[in-house]
Amino acid sequence: MDYISTRGRAPELPFDEVVLTGLAADGGLYVPRRYPTVDHKEIAAFAGRPYAETAETLIAPFTEGLPRDLLHQAARGAYATFSHAAVAPLTQIGDNLFVLELFHGPTLAFKDLAMQLLGRLMDALLETRGLRATIVGATSGDTGAAAIEAFRGRANVDVFILYPDGRVSDVQRRQMTTVADANVHAIALDGSFDDAQTLLKGLFRDESFRRGVGLAGVNSINWARVVAQMVYYFTSAVTLGSPHRKISFAVPTGNFGDVLAGYVAKRMGLPVERLIVATNENDILARALATGRYEPRGVTPTQSPSMDIQLSSNFERLLFDAIGRDSGSVVQAFEALDRDGAFEIPPGALRAVREDFDALAVNEAETQAEIARTYRDSGYVIDPHTATGVRAARAQLEKSPGTPVVALSTAHPAKFPDAIERAIGLRIEPPPRLAPVLEGKERIARMKRDSETVKRFILEHARAARVGAGA
Ligand SMILES: *Cc1c(COP(=O)(O)O)cnc(C)c1O
């Protein structure tokens, strides 16, 4: 299975290269040449299987060229770090309304599901090549923690995480800054997540820097993350009777990686009725679906910081498909975005997107009200990100009460205790897993949002730069 860039000007690469590369050299994102499919009999056979086994089966066709044993070991190791036997269990909170708990991993957010696998795949791939890599990631909060947890102490990798100073929760920040391993570096940048992501994309476009440090990416622009996230759409749907009935999913969305994974599951053959994009007040996706105009505005900080994003990178992958995989049109759209600050989604592509997706923007007051309502109705505490998904799921159930809706719970409420306390007047007890994070000493490198400053810091600290090797 070869991978092609959405912008059509980067070399085609096999899976292992795509994993190590992240962003394509032409600024595009890698996508598989075609989507492998599973039939209904194969889907039905996932019932009752361990999560790691289903993951391996579903991911294998995307990883042609990768030794199967490597994938097998990585999947087993990754999902053994979860504190729930089901890895991603479902909880029912209303008629046909389910919450998919994706927060049982080491950092209590859904990012672990992909990152634990990616960390193992990357380290093993580097080991077999005798290479070192430098991972630089931008985070709106949870990706950084998950990446640091997945890569800390690994022999072949140094990790640098850029986060927007003052715009992540205390728990999120401490998860990144209290890790003592020498290969971990948390960098606080002034500005928003979008600023950090733009700076990161610039690093990837700097060919000599990229080579010099063996730059590798772990943001959801890395295809391996999308493909790992596709798995829980299957496992949850099968629990609810798939493939014999359709399921809808409501997904708290920022960078569009998670909900894109739902789309990939559907393209692979999972019977999905609707994919509902839930946003907070940073509603570019809801506006784009409603009007056809993709137009970022300034980022508004909210109580769901991991969704405080206006430039949803992975939307490019959906656009590429919706536009008939015409990379020329994708390039034009993103040139217009750079030039004019917006682009129009071509009418045919917009129709195609609407065939699979709905979107709902949930404001701050509605988010608080949803946390309170869910607690009142079912005694179940949801975090503010999850609340946007549950709210969107309820709206979908009003339209289509006969189809089960799964709201993805992307973070444990203990990561956002202040927002929970405001909504229901209860202080959430931190789970034991958080103790070292809440007590540890913080280590932070504060920096201006200037790519030369960031590059210098990375060059000084990356082991790959010293030996001059690169991936
Ligand atoms: C990352 C994140 C999201 C958004 O996911 P995307 O894949 O970026 O759309 C939502 N909720 C939480 C808690 C997150 O960490």
Side-chain angles (χ1 to χ4, degrees):
M1 169 90 56
D2 276 338
Y3 287 79
I4 55 177
S5 165
T6 50
R7 308 226 179 155
R9 293 173 196 158
E12 285 180 30
L13 295 179
F15 178 78
D16 53 353
E17 296 290 337
V18 166
V19 170
L20 295 175
T21 305
L23 194 69
D26 59 3
L29 278 68
Y30 276 108
V31 291
R33 184 167 273 298
R34 61 195 158 66
Y35 297 103
T37 53
V38 283
D39 63 26
H40 283 193
K41 221 174 109 201
E42 291 169 289
I43 295 172
F46 293 141
R49 311 303 305 167
Y51 188 93
E53 206 179 292
T54 303
E56 184 187 334
T57 307
L58 283 167
I59 295 170
F62 288 94
T63 63
E64 226 174 273
L66 191 81
R68 179 66 180 249
D69 188 53
L70 199 158
L71 176 63
H72 175 75
Q73 295 299 341
R76 272 192 29 175
Y79 300 112
T81 66
F82 281 64
S83 62
H84 195 291
V87 177
L90 279 169
T91 297
Q92 184 162 15
I93 59 166
D95 289 344
N96 264 343
L97 175 56
F98 299 84
V99 171
L100 178 59
E101 295 183 349
L102 299 173
F103 52 69
H104 294 284
T107 69
L108 310 179
F110 89 95
K111 303 289 196 301
D112 291 324
L113 280 132
M115 207 65 85
Q116 285 292 322
L117 184 74
L118 178 60
R120 286 169 172 78
L121 286 178
M122 261 194 186
D123 207 42
L125 287 172
L126 291 166
E127 186 69 38
T128 40
R129 292 157 192 230
L131 289 176
R132 276 209 176 125
T134 303
I135 289 184
V136 187
T139 186
S140 56
D142 295 318
T143 299
I148 285 171
E149 193 57 42
F151 288 99
R152 64 190 290 183
R154 292 202 184 274
N156 304 305
V157 181
D158 292 297
V159 198
F160 297 82
I161 297 295
L162 314 172
Y163 70 89
D165 201 1
R167 300 208 191 182
V168 301
S169 83
D170 286 351
V171 174
Q172 287 179 318
R173 188 193 67 249
R174 294 191 69 88
Q175 283 181 321
M176 297 188 273
T177 58
T178 58
V179 172
D181 300 75
N183 72 330
V184 168
H185 307 273
I187 299 175
L189 280 190
D190 67 323
S192 68
F193 168 74
D194 286 340
D195 295 326
Q197 182 161 254
T198 303
L199 193 149
L200 178 72
K201 286 188 174 173
L203 299 185
F204 274 88
R205 275 195 220 106
D206 180 340
E207 194 56 35
S208 82
F209 177 77
R210 182 173 171 151
R211 265 181 225 282
V213 300
L215 193 60
V218 293
N219 274 81
S220 58
I221 48 183
N222 193 311
W223 177 258
R225 283 193 46 198
V226 176
V227 92
Q229 289 167 189
M230 156 275 288
V231 174
Y232 45 75
Y233 287 88
F234 278 92
T235 58
S236 58
V238 167
T239 303
L240 296 177
S242 187
H244 310 297
R245 60 173 178 168
K246 285 194 168 184
I247 313 288
S248 292
F249 294 91
V251 187
T253 296
N255 221 354
F256 208 76
D258 205 4
V259 74
L260 183 83
Y263 163 81
V264 171
K266 187 171 185 181
R267 294 293 302 259
M268 291 172 71
L270 185 70
V272 173
E273 185 163 283
R274 306 297 296 166
L275 293 163
I276 306 125
V277 175
T279 75
N280 61 23
E281 291 181 6
N282 297 289
D283 61 349
I284 180 171
L285 292 164
R287 284 186 285 115
L289 249 78
T291 67
R293 189 171 170 80
Y294 187 88
E295 183 175 29
R297 297 185 184 150
V299 180
T300 310
T302 71
Q303 62 197 308
S304 45
S306 303
M307 296 158 62
D308 290 348
I309 292 174
Q310 284 282 306
L311 290 167
S312 293
S313 297
N314 273 294
F315 185 70
E316 180 166 343
R317 288 186 161 121
L318 177 65
L319 187 68
F320 180 62
D321 278 1
I323 227 160
R325 297 209 144 194
D326 171 9
S327 56
S329 300
V330 174
V331 170
Q332 271 177 17
F334 284 93
E335 279 172 1
L337 183 64
D338 283 342
R339 196 181 53 235
D340 314 325
F343 63 79
E344 300 292 336
I345 303 171
L350 185 59
R351 227 173 304 137
V353 170
R354 286 176 178 159
E355 267 171 36
D356 295 317
F357 291 87
D358 291 298
L360 184 72
V362 180
N363 70 27
E364 291 288 274
E366 290 166 334
T367 302
Q368 285 278 303
E370 186 56 63
I371 296 171
R373 175 184 176 176
T374 295
Y375 184 63
R376 200 173 54 236
D377 287 1
S378 53
Y380 187 75
V381 181
I382 53 176
D383 98 290
H385 304 77
T386 304
T388 66
V390 172
R391 177 99 181 174
R394 290 193 203 277
Q396 174 63 22
L397 280 166
E398 274 171 27
K399 284 188 252 173
S400 177
T403 305
V405 186
V406 174
L408 274 57
S409 179
T410 48
H412 192 290
K415 286 192 97 163
F416 305 94
D418 299 338
I420 306 295
E421 190 167 4
R422 275 198 305 280
I424 60 174
L426 274 186
R427 195 75 193 167
I428 293 272
E429 273 300 305
R433 274 193 154 177
L434 274 186
V437 167
L438 298 176
E439 287 147 24
K441 187 166 147 30
E442 292 192 80
R443 200 159 51 90
I444 307 174
R446 283 214 168 68
M447 248 163 260
K448 281 229 167 334
R449 170 173 93 226
D450 164 56
S451 59
E452 290 312 312
T453 310
V454 173
K455 276 185 210 167
R456 208 173 315 122
F457 181 84
I458 294 172
L459 283 166
E460 276 165 22
H461 292 90
R463 289 171 295 172
R466 259 169 265 156
V467 296

